[in-house]
Amino acid sequence: MPINKLQQQVDDWIRQHGVRYFDVLTNMAILTEEVGEVARIISRKYGEQSFKDTDHKDLGEELADVLFVVLCLANQTNTDLKGSFDRKMEKITNRDAQRHHDNEKLNI
């Protein structure tokens, strides 16, 4: 689904079920918390830590939580994520078109 459609889907959900958006600072704190949950899963699944019985283990669900809050922040700050993402892809494509191919560390 295109990002702009995801933004609209989140906005519709907030208006129907969420009453209103949390303020931007609250959503930033929530985003930080959700990214921490992603980090916890990755450190346990791919790193050296072991899971605890109380750990959430669904990386996809936690990444979706991050995406949901990012979409909320974009909506409430009137940010067009599709346009911003398209510009970002163009920028890094132009800047890094050959850079990673020339990186000896990646060609192992």
Side-chain angles (χ1 to χ4, degrees), residues 7 10-11 14-15 18-23 27 72 75-76:
Q7 279 190 254
V10 166
D11 194 60
I14 292 291
R15 294 181 193 292
V19 180
R20 65 170 178 80
Y21 287 94
F22 294 130
D23 64 56
N27 271 336
C72 285
N75 285 347
Q76 64 192 133

Side-chain angles (χ1 to χ4, degrees), residues 42-106:
I42 289 176
S43 71
R44 284 159 170 64
K45 186 170 183 176
Y46 301 102
E48 296 177 341
Q49 286 190 323
S50 59
F51 278 100
K52 299 175 187 172
D53 291 338
T54 57
D55 283 339
H56 295 281
K57 297 178 183 173
D58 187 342
L59 180 58
E61 182 179 339
E62 297 304 333
L63 288 169
D65 287 344
V66 169
L67 180 59
F68 182 86
V69 180
V70 166
L71 293 166
C72 285
L73 285 165
N75 285 347
Q76 64 192 133
T77 59
N78 297 313
T79 301
D80 170 16
L81 272 181
K82 181 179 179 349
S84 296
F85 187 81
D86 290 346
R87 287 187 298 280
K88 172 57 73 178
M89 290 304 296
E90 182 178 352
K91 176 182 175 182
I92 64 173
T93 298
N94 291 333
R95 182 189 68 203
D96 300 331
Q98 193 58 39
R99 185 177 127 210
H100 298 299
H101 292 285
D102 295 339
N103 183 346
E104 292 178 10
K105 297 174 187 175
L106 297 177

